[in-house]
Amino acid sequence: MNVQRFSISDAKLAKSPGQNAEIYVRNLVDENHGGSITIGYGRYEPGQSLAETLAVDDTMIILEGSLSVSTSDGTVTAGPGDIVYMPKGQSVTITTQGDGALTAYVTYPHWPQFHND
Amino acid sequence: MNVQRFSISDAKLAKSPGQNAEIYVRNLVDENHGGSITIGYGRYEPGQSLAETLAVDDTMIILEGSLSVSTSDGTVTAGPGDIVYMPKGQSVTITTQGDGALTAYVTYPHWPQFHND
């Protein structure tokens, strides 16, 4: 794969299989592209809550809006330009208020949950 | 390592050793944190040019401003919210005009060039 530029307008966001919240994602780079990481965009509508245990190391970069990530240690809230690093094995609850959030994500290794085929 | 939130205001940016352009970076997560990826922020002043061959898979998310990435295949220009994926082994020249650029980056595996110790 060569150098690639992606924009949110290129990404056809959709719910992940089995995921019922109003959270829409799209992988742009994944296991089909020869590397070790998954890259994509996610849009979280307002008032959503998603609980999961991380199967991979997941880095979210907040592009618009804000979201909160809660663990047994407490809650962090992140806004535009902030980075949230969620290591593999952590149990998190991601919540949105207000305007929801637009994120970019990078996971290592690939996250099978985010198949969009 | 637990879930972490980072903001650009937390990052003490500095030139990488041996790098003379007006490009300032800071790792926030690296080989000292037990994972497989490096996460950080980078600020590129206007009118800079940096040529390198990627030693790792490098993902840049443009937070402010814009930058261009040139390879033997051509040039892509990325602005706020855009993602540029630069696979390991690619030879790139990153250039800025205008206001320069603020980026977040995630590399796999760790990028030794970005030690800030």
Side-chain angles (χ1 to χ4, degrees), chain A residues 18-31:
Chain A
Q19 193 276 109
N20 292 317
E22 297 296 317
I23 300 171
Y24 302 88
V25 300
R26 172 62 66 169
N27 289 348
L28 300 164
V29 174
D30 61 17
E31 69 276 14

Side-chain angles (χ1 to χ4, degrees), chain A residues 4-11 28 39-43 61-64 80-81 102-105, chain B residues 59-67 77-85 101-104:
Chain A
Q4 300 283 326
R5 182 205 57 195
F6 302 105
S7 297
I8 183 66
S9 57
D10 302 329
L28 300 164
I39 303 171
Y41 285 111
R43 185 180 299 282
I61 298 91
I62 315 305
L63 300 174
E64 301 175 4
L102 176 66
T103 68
Y105 56 81
Chain B
T59 303
M60 289 193 299
I61 298 91
I62 315 304
L63 301 174
E64 300 175 5
S66 69
L67 54 71
T77 298
D82 291 345
I83 299 169
V84 179
Y85 175 51
L102 176 66
T103 68

Side-chain angles (χ1 to χ4, degrees), chain B residues 12-77:
Chain B
K12 296 181 180 177
L13 305 182
K15 287 187 185 183
S16 290
Q19 194 277 108
N20 292 318
E22 297 296 318
I23 300 171
Y24 302 88
V25 299
R26 173 61 66 169
N27 289 347
L28 301 164
V29 174
D30 61 17
E31 68 277 13
N32 296 312
H33 299 99
S36 299
I37 59 173
T38 292
I39 302 171
Y41 285 112
R43 186 180 298 281
Y44 295 70
E45 296 298 324
Q48 302 303 305
S49 179
L50 175 66
E52 63 181 337
T53 298
L54 276 297
V56 296
D57 286 337
D58 190 4
T59 303
M60 289 193 299
I61 298 91
I62 315 304
L63 301 174
E64 300 175 5
S66 69
L67 54 71
S68 296
V69 180
S70 299
T71 68
S72 56
D73 291 328
T75 298
V76 295
T77 298

